[in-house]
Structures are given as C-alpha cells and as structure tokens.
Amino acid sequence: MEIKSIIHSEAEFSKDRAKTHRYLLKKVWDNKKPMATIVMLNPREKPMLFIWINP
C-alpha cells in the first residue's frame, strides 16, 4: 500500500528587509481532521511551548 501526502505550507515574515521575525508558520496535512495550535515564544533563547487542540 502506498500512502501519499501533500503538506500545504504558509509563512508570514516581518516586513523589514532582513525578514527578522516569522509571525506565522502553518502546515496542513488533512483539512478533515481537527487542528492543533502550537505557540513558541523565544525559541532561540529560552524556549516556551504552548499547545491547543482545536475541536
């Protein structure tokens, strides 16, 4: 059995020339399944991770 998956990706960066900050990184595997929201604060310095499962 061969399973194929297409992952749709979207990213939004800051408007400065160097694109210093990434405000959004979205990946969708299956639109029919519930979404999970993952928020990371300062991932380079002192990582903090928050996860929400959306019904």
Side-chain angles (χ1 to χ4, degrees):
M1 175 205 271
E2 184 178 333
I3 299 175
K4 291 186 178 182
S5 178
I6 297 175
I7 300 172
H8 298 277
S9 298
E10 176 183 341
E12 184 176 324
F13 294 91
S14 58
K15 304 295 183 201
D16 61 326
R17 184 176 255 184
K19 298 184 186 283
T20 309
H21 303 285
R22 181 174 60 204
Y23 297 116
L24 169 75
L25 177 61
K26 180 178 176 180
K27 295 193 179 277
V28 178
W29 284 266
D30 188 341
N31 282 331
K32 298 173 193 150
K33 294 187 177 177
M35 269 190 203
T37 303
I38 301 172
V39 178
M40 291 186 70
L41 303 175
N42 300 324
R44 290 184 182 173
E45 297 170 13
K46 187 176 179 184
M48 295 177 66
L49 178 67
F50 302 96
I51 299 175
W52 290 273
I53 304 298
N54 304 328

